[in-house]
Amino acid sequence: MSASEPGTAATRERILDAAEALFAEHGLAGTAVRDIARDVGLTAASLYNHFAGKQELYEAVLARGVQPLIEMMQRIDGQDRTSDARAALIEDIMKHLGGRPHLPRLIHHEVISGGSYLAKLGRTWLRPLIATGIAEMKREEEPNWSEEEFPLVITAWLNLVFGHFAMAPILSVVFDTDPLAPESIERQTRFLQKLARMMALSDPGPG
Amino acid sequence: MSASEPGTAATRERILDAAEALFAEHGLAGTAVRDIARDVGLTAASLYNHFAGKQELYEAVLARGVQPLIEMMQRIDGQDRTSDARAALIEDIMKHLGGRPHLPRLIHHEVISGGSYLAKLGRTWLRPLIATGIAEMKREEEPNWSEEEFPLVITAWLNLVFGHFAMAPILSVVFDTDPLAPESIERQTRFLQKLARMMALSDPGPG
Amino acid sequence: MSASEPGTAATRERILDAAEALFAEHGLAGTAVRDIARDVGLTAASLYNHFAGKQELYEAVLARGVQPLIEMMQRIDGQDRTSDARAALIEDIMKHLGGRPHLPRLIHHEVISGGSYLAKLGRTWLRPLIATGIAEMKREEEPNWSEEEFPLVITAWLNLVFGHFAMAPILSVVFDTDPLAPESIERQTRFLQKLARMMALSDPGPG
Amino acid sequence: MSASEPGTAATRERILDAAEALFAEHGLAGTAVRDIARDVGLTAASLYNHFAGKQELYEAVLARGVQPLIEMMQRIDGQDRTSDARAALIEDIMKHLGGRPHLPRLIHHEVISGGSYLAKLGRTWLRPLIATGIAEMKREEEPNWSEEEFPLVITAWLNLVFGHFAMAPILSVVFDTDPLAPESIERQTRFLQKLARMMALSDPGPG
DNA sequence: GATGAATGAGGATTCATTCAT
DNA sequence: AATGAATGAATCCTCATTCAT
């Protein structure tokens, strides 16, 4: 009657968890199936009772991690636009990534490698996000950014949010803090919200 | 008999070039020595006349790419602080990375994987850059950022600059432009300079 | 409650059928237990409720196919020798093999591989057949074959009969007909009977 | 200066020899690459310096064995038809197969399994042979066989010739002789030549 | 400097088999 | 009687590396 009996459907989740951590750190090629299995307490052969192969496992990990982001996007897309929707969106995303800190590095691996999952990732997740963001910016009364700068602004935000998590290893070397600690995420969230206000309101004047 | 006859010292560079491209795309583990050799028109065995091993080759690629960044840092650190030093620095870095578009992805791989080269990278390159950046920000008369936000600002800049190149694969899927094309880099440079002015001058007011 | 309800004893037969087809095509080593199970609509694990293992299943398939041939031999051995006994025997064997077209290939696999079942096959089936055949030939009044040629004649007949079925795959490629179709088997039967008459009656004269 | 220095091109041939023997006995699936390598005195990994994979090695073995048969066919096809051409052809083929006694079993494996090489085998080798044989039979003045029986006659000959070698394992169990011994091959050759005369000359009369 | 050949180590995957349910 | 899950033992193949030529 325990909540997660070993050997049932829970095994699949435990494999995904272990795989997520290892794929995030070493990438697809750098991760040995045997190592994933060992972290779950299984033999490599047993993994193949749950996933058809390494590639399929990788994609399942990616899908599981990206799915909530897609849904988050869809929820936001349809809802009322209050004045601080931006701040709430930033907070939501930061919170989700904070709970799955391996995800951004995983996505970075995929993006950098130009992996096959990339096209789907772009279509189902990035494009709606961009559409939402651009629609938002168009609604500004005194916009700081021209329409052709919109994509750059969106991209900038992607890099700011994901970079915080993906760059964590080197940041924790240079600074003393762990970027994945809750208070670091909290601080980064407030910083990004402040930056968002600046980018929306300020007028940098002529170059 | 010149120092860089094809087939002599030049071979070393050609190996580094091929390795840089492949390491950037597939990472250290995902790149086969044989593939690097093939791209140079050599056999894997021949590579070992030029480099002691895969790991050493990887580090040589990393060193060759990072060295100019470090020197750039050192030059800037000692020079006069004109009003648009920031703009010039951004331009310099963007230009260097534009000429070696694989470098950011290479560094991302290293950072994400928490590779062994990372500590050196942090110490010799990132720390001076941060010191310079912080000193710069401290000199502001009406600063928008508190001292404890300084690291976040620096990190943000790192992510903005490197992200542009590292995320290129997925961006070229979502948008129609190639982020590595000269005009894209030019546009991104101007965008970042504008953003720099905003972050320095503007006052977002209370949250 | 009948003895051959589907799911009870009938399952055993269905397993044997599927196994016969696969073993005949891919041999013992080339056939996966899982594939046999799939063809029956079962899991590999379920097979072990019916057979002790792959090897045992293989032998059961072989035994089931060979048993009627042995019995056929025994019947013929004890019965009256009419003038067209040869023609009847050829017809019987061809008919049996026509109903189990996988069997010859199965036996071929076993023979070619020098499998362990081979000795038993030779002793219980081939030897009686040869004895019968030789006794038959000795009864000829004006024999075309010397006693030392008898084994060759017998072997020739084996190759002619079994070859028709075993070589079917390539023959259907070269000719347009399917050697396993009833009319092909009928034609081959008549051909072999004619050949039998030729071999018995004719006198080729000196070389 | 020895005729077959180890480590040169001769290695390829030695691999083919070892592979031919093992593939003939155990088939493609039943033969382990490691076992082939061991018989040559190599590591499995070393095999891959000479052949792209198991399948490719298998096809190379098949091609090397079948090539002489094809050429033999082509030579015969173009030459004068003397009265004992048949006897000579039988002798040639028996001799070639006698020198490569694994080949018939290898071909049997391929034929039985309906392997992919089969179509090529049928087209390049079997069809010319059949054409030659049929042309030969049409030239008979008082033919014993109708035109629609021609394919059956050809097939019979195939089975008689190849069967002698392929069935060798079980025959050596039942009889005391080794069918692959030179004198056995010699005896079988004479037997087949005699049978050929019978099939050409005799008239079995009405069934 | 270049290469063909060899190899130990490892890595993904298959497979026959077992066992608790 | 059926099955999902687990596994040890292969099996094919890749890879980084070495070395004689």
Side-chain angles (χ1 to χ4, degrees), chain C residues 58-59 61-67 69-70 73 103-104 106-112 114-130 158 162, chain D residues 167 169-171 173-174:
Chain C
Y58 179 73
E59 284 168 19
V61 169
L62 216 40
R64 185 184 69 157
V66 168
Q67 192 57 33
L69 290 178
I70 294 179
M73 233 11 75
L103 188 53
L106 197 64
I107 294 178
H108 260 75
H109 268 299
E110 183 69 10
V111 167
I112 289 176
S116 57
Y117 195 79
L118 200 142
K120 193 186 172 189
L121 199 65
R123 242 178 304 116
T124 58
W125 184 70
L126 204 45
R127 244 201 273 271
L129 185 146
I130 287 165
L158 277 179
F162 278 82
Chain D
M167 298 290 240
I170 205 178
L171 295 181
V173 164
V174 175

Side-chain angles (χ1 to χ4, degrees), chain A residues 31-34 45 48 53-54:
Chain A
T31 302
V33 171
R34 209 182 307 160
Y48 289 81
K54 195 192 191 184

Side-chain angles (χ1 to χ4, degrees), chain A residues 38 95 115:
Chain A
R38 182 174 13 81
K95 229 169 225 160

Side-chain angles (χ1 to χ4, degrees), chain D residues 11-205:
Chain D
T11 303
R12 200 171 197 275
E13 287 303 306
R14 278 166 50 228
I15 293 173
L16 287 172
D17 288 342
E20 183 175 286
L22 289 175
F23 282 144
E25 182 158 357
H26 307 112
L28 176 59
T31 303
V33 172
R34 209 183 307 159
D35 291 342
I36 301 175
R38 181 174 14 78
D39 284 5
V40 192
L42 286 181
T43 307
S46 301
L47 272 198
Y48 289 84
N49 287 326
H50 299 271
F51 295 93
K54 195 193 191 184
Q55 180 71 35
E56 284 81 359
L57 173 55
Y58 179 74
E59 284 170 17
V61 168
L62 217 40
R64 185 185 68 157
V66 168
Q67 193 57 34
L69 291 178
I70 295 180
E71 288 166 6
M72 197 178 299
M73 244 354 88
Q74 291 169 338
R75 264 201 318 278
I76 281 160
D77 203 35
Q79 85 187 23
D80 266 7
R81 199 62 45 169
T82 71
S83 67
D84 44 15
R86 251 189 305 260
L89 176 55
I90 290 174
E91 183 134 13
D92 281 355
I93 292 185
M94 288 297 290
K95 229 168 223 160
H96 177 69
L97 295 182
R100 288 213 160 273
H102 299 307
L103 188 52
R105 281 185 293 160
L106 197 65
I107 294 179
H108 260 74
H109 268 299
E110 182 71 8
V111 168
I112 290 176
S113 307
S116 58
Y117 195 79
L118 199 142
K120 195 188 171 188
L121 199 65
R123 242 179 303 115
T124 58
W125 186 70
L126 205 45
R127 246 204 266 273
L129 184 145
I130 287 165
T132 304
I134 288 183
E136 186 77 12
M137 286 194 286
K138 278 189 179 165
R139 217 170 294 145
E140 300 278 345
E141 294 182 4
E142 298 181 34
N144 284 318
W145 309 98
S146 67
E147 285 211 18
E148 59 183 9
E149 282 171 327
F150 285 177
L152 304 185
V153 176
I154 303 282
T155 304
W157 278 104
L158 276 178
N159 289 332
L160 287 170
V161 172
F162 277 83
H164 175 78
F165 296 93
M167 298 290 240
I170 205 178
L171 295 181
S172 65
V173 164
V174 175
F175 306 112
D176 285 347
T177 58
D178 171 19
L180 301 184
E183 62 271 18
S184 296
I185 294 175
E186 181 64 29
R187 196 181 315 129
Q188 175 75 358
T189 302
R190 285 194 306 269
F191 168 74
L192 291 180
Q193 289 169 335
K194 180 174 174 182
L195 186 58
R197 284 195 305 276
M198 289 177 63
M199 288 176 68
L201 302 182
S202 72
D203 175 2

